[in-house]
Amino acid sequence: MATVQAGEVQLGWREWGGGDVTVVFIHGNLASKDWIELAAPLFPSGLRVIGIDWRGCGDSDRPKPAADYSNYSMQQHAHDMLAALDTLGIRFCHLATHSTGGIIAARILLMQPQRFGRVFALDPVTPLGMAFNSDQIGLFRAMMASKELTRTIMATAASSLFVPESLAPNAVPRFREGLPEIQALFDRIIEQTFGVSEGIWIGTPVNLTLERESRELEGRMPELHHPHLVLWGECDGWIPPVDLRTMAAAMPDCRLVVVPGIGHSMNLELPALYAGYFGAWFGGLSK
């Protein structure tokens, strides 16, 4: 397990490939750097890809959450990532994000715009944030206490991997046949997810709701000039497509692509397809 100092915390990190072009992967909520594990070997040569765990996730430290979860805010995660890049000596790179990693990246880009090039965003939480009500936050609390419930909810983040009727209410998610490697990774990911900090379980929905209510980043979307390729899985029930269209219209250089037959997590559901988009976006860059 490799870690990197990022301010007062140690963050877990992994590296795939090598070359002059560096891409940093920022994962989503309840997740880890390992979500690109099956796709990474398929990335083009010449790319150095680094995945970094948020505080509270994966192999990173789990600081005790503040009463208001402010030490697990999107701003805090952005500061952590920048501090990790400083320690790793990465002065310029590109970003690949998944889900809530998208809004963390927006904050990173606004803090140090000159440090970053292209952005590849898979089903991102946009700068608009997301709103969670008390019942939804209660569901996250229930997941904290039940690995079975965690697996059931997380299955909806990779819906194309499962027999459709097994995702119905009160059913047990059942994998489609012929996916042993993906199933093994998914099962390991559930173990990781169940071990994240309360600052992630509860702090992320609380802080994403604050982002939605403040509308701060919403007003700053025109400042995000970095070229963005945004993919949205047509079967994604987590990210509202209207938010993605709003983001694509507000940002100066943002292309939105809808991918049929895929849910919220192409990196898990079809790693080869994810790697293909990844390579097309980042392959051939000089730095």
Side-chain angles (χ1 to χ4, degrees):
M1 179 186 74
T3 60
V4 57
Q5 191 70 39
E8 79 280 10
V9 296
Q10 293 271 342
L11 302 183
W13 71 292
R14 289 181 69 177
E15 183 174 14
W16 294 270
D20 295 332
V21 176
T22 299
V23 180
V24 172
F25 172 67
I26 305 175
H27 64 76
N29 188 39
L30 301 175
S32 76
K33 60 192 176 307
D34 297 341
W35 282 51
I36 59 168
E37 181 177 297
L38 296 181
L42 307 175
F43 295 158
S45 61
L47 293 183
R48 178 193 185 200
V49 179
I50 292 173
I52 304 176
D53 290 327
W54 304 0
R55 64 169 58 200
C57 293
D59 295 319
S60 293
D61 290 345
R62 287 155 168 68
K64 181 180 178 180
D68 61 356
Y69 300 104
S70 56
N71 61 332
Y72 280 88
S73 68
M74 302 304 106
Q75 187 93 342
Q76 181 61 66
H77 290 309
H79 281 298
D80 288 349
M81 293 295 160
L82 289 170
L85 295 184
D86 289 343
T87 303
L88 291 170
I90 297 172
R91 292 177 292 179
F92 180 86
C93 66
H94 307 275
L95 296 177
T97 74
H98 181 213
S99 195
T100 310
I103 193 170
I104 295 171
R107 288 210 165 272
I108 289 172
L109 295 170
L110 290 167
M111 288 178 191
Q112 296 186 15
Q114 74 289 344
R115 192 171 188 173
F116 301 96
R118 292 186 167 202
V119 180
F120 176 52
L122 176 64
D123 298 281
V125 174
T126 73
L128 299 169
M130 293 182 75
F132 293 85
N133 60 36
S134 58
D135 288 343
Q136 291 168 321
I137 292 178
L139 178 60
F140 283 109
R141 289 199 180 277
M143 289 170 67
M144 288 176 63
S146 170
K147 190 176 294 184
E148 291 73 21
L149 180 59
T150 295
R151 185 179 187 276
T152 297
I153 299 301
M154 294 300 288
T156 68
S159 55
S160 72
L161 297 178
F162 296 88
V163 176
E165 55 267 27
S166 75
L167 296 178
N170 302 315
V172 176
R174 190 171 73 255
F175 267 91
R176 293 188 292 105
E177 293 184 3
L179 302 171
E181 192 176 25
I182 295 175
Q183 182 173 349
L185 176 59
F186 183 84
D187 290 343
R188 178 155 51 87
I189 280 171
I190 296 305
E191 294 295 326
Q192 288 183 341
T193 299
F194 195 67
V196 303
S197 164
E198 181 186 337
I200 299 299
W201 284 113
I202 311 302
T204 302
V206 165
N207 281 297
L208 287 179
T209 301
L210 291 175
E211 294 278 9
R212 188 79 172 196
E213 292 171 348
S214 77
R215 305 188 69 175
E216 176 202 349
L217 287 180
E218 179 182 357
R220 300 191 67 185
M221 287 192 288
E223 299 175 44
L224 293 167
H225 291 272
H226 306 76
H228 277 65
L229 174 62
V230 178
L231 301 186
W232 181 70
E234 188 179 40
C235 303
D236 181 1
W238 290 35
I239 304 298
V242 63
D243 286 3
L244 297 175
R245 290 193 290 269
T246 299
M247 178 181 76
M251 288 167 50
D253 190 355
C254 182
R255 179 187 175 199
L256 173 60
V257 176
V258 177
V259 184
I262 295 292
H264 182 66
S265 306
M266 186 196 296
N267 43 9
L268 292 182
E269 296 171 72
L270 278 177
L273 183 60
Y274 176 82
Y277 278 109
F278 193 103
W281 188 239
F282 294 121
L285 296 178
S286 58
K287 66 174 184 176

